Amino acid sequence: MPTFQTSQVVLIPDDAKERARAFAVKVTDTVNYRDSNQTAIKKIRDDHFVSKLGEEAVRILFEGRNCRVEGPDYGVYEAKRKSWAADIKINGLEVAVKTQRRSAANRYGLSWTFQDSPERRDPILDMPDAWVCLVVFEDLKPETECLIYPLRKIKQLIFEAPRLTKLVGKKQAVYLERLITNGIFEK
């Protein structure tokens, strides 16, 4: 699969933004994140919007490299049908996509979180050879732009407690600065 060693910038077209926005509106009423202390509807909707933008960015990047990409999935499922399936498939390879807003990164450090509470645990945390693509939504720029980091396996990432106290015991975080310091990503 054509891959890359340094972060890549992708512009998100308006139609992809609208798909992500429409999905976020539809899915918000079907989720329950009380176990993560998240009950703010606006925040939940925004999290889903940002997640889909990241998935769209990964799709655009790899399709531009002549890869066969399946996803993002825009299906809205009832609670019992929701899954932890991969966000994207690239040439058949399952890839999880994690996205954070640049504005949030400026407050808390550039990081990506994985659910890890007694009530819900992201199964990918128990899959050391699973692939992950980390994305930054550059929401402080005038264009809708994402910065995509090279694919890595879960076992290559360094997990630690989130800096945001209310997320401790509910999520695990991966901080970009730690990945750069340990040579997992280039600066």
Side-chain angles (χ1 to χ4, degrees):
M1 166 174 29
T3 189
F4 49 95
Q5 297 303 314
T6 58
S7 57
Q8 304 290 303
V9 174
V10 171
L11 293 175
I12 309 297
D14 289 342
D15 64 322
K17 284 191 297 193
E18 288 313 310
R19 279 193 303 275
R21 188 170 283 112
F23 171 79
V25 168
K26 288 180 194 170
V27 79
T28 299
D29 290 336
T30 72
V31 297
N32 180 346
Y33 296 141
R34 283 180 175 69
D35 62 325
S36 299
N37 296 331
Q38 186 52 262
T39 57
I41 298 300
K42 187 176 176 184
K43 169 78 165 95
I44 293 168
R45 185 176 298 125
D46 185 66
D47 286 349
H48 284 286
F49 171 68
V50 170
S51 293
K52 284 300 177 199
L53 281 183
E55 292 172 26
E56 285 284 357
V58 172
R59 177 190 61 78
I60 291 165
L61 176 67
F62 281 95
E63 282 182 349
R65 293 168 176 268
N66 298 314
C67 294
R68 182 178 36 83
V69 180
E70 298 173 46
D73 179 4
Y74 282 97
V76 176
Y77 306 101
E78 57 193 59
K80 64 184 175 194
R81 289 193 57 225
K82 292 185 186 299
S83 77
W84 291 89
D87 298 309
I88 297 275
K89 285 186 181 178
I90 304 167
N91 291 339
L93 182 73
E94 293 186 346
V95 178
V97 178
K98 294 289 185 177
T99 308
Q100 185 185 31
R101 281 182 176 270
R102 177 67 68 185
S103 56
N106 289 348
R107 289 193 304 265
Y108 309 115
L110 185 45
S111 64
W112 299 270
T113 59
F114 294 75
Q115 185 66 35
D116 191 15
S117 69
E119 298 83 9
R120 281 186 306 134
R121 177 178 165 85
D122 190 334
I124 200 169
L125 294 171
D126 300 317
M127 301 165 63
D129 289 318
W131 290 96
V132 180
C133 192
L134 304 174
V135 179
V136 180
F137 168 36
E138 298 288 3
D139 63 322
L140 300 176
K141 294 187 174 185
E143 297 291 327
T144 305
E145 177 180 302
C146 287
L147 181 66
I148 303 172
Y149 286 90
L151 295 175
R152 293 293 184 258
K153 290 187 174 187
I154 282 287
K155 66 184 176 188
Q156 294 174 288
L157 302 179
I158 300 166
F159 291 90
E160 54 192 276
R163 293 180 186 153
L164 195 56
T165 309
K166 71 179 184 178
L167 298 180
V168 173
K170 305 208 179 289
K171 297 194 180 268
Q172 288 192 45
V174 173
Y175 288 89
L176 179 64
E177 64 195 39
R178 178 76 62 134
L179 299 177
I180 290 172
T181 301
N182 286 277
I184 296 164
F185 286 138
E186 296 178 15
K187 187 162 183 138

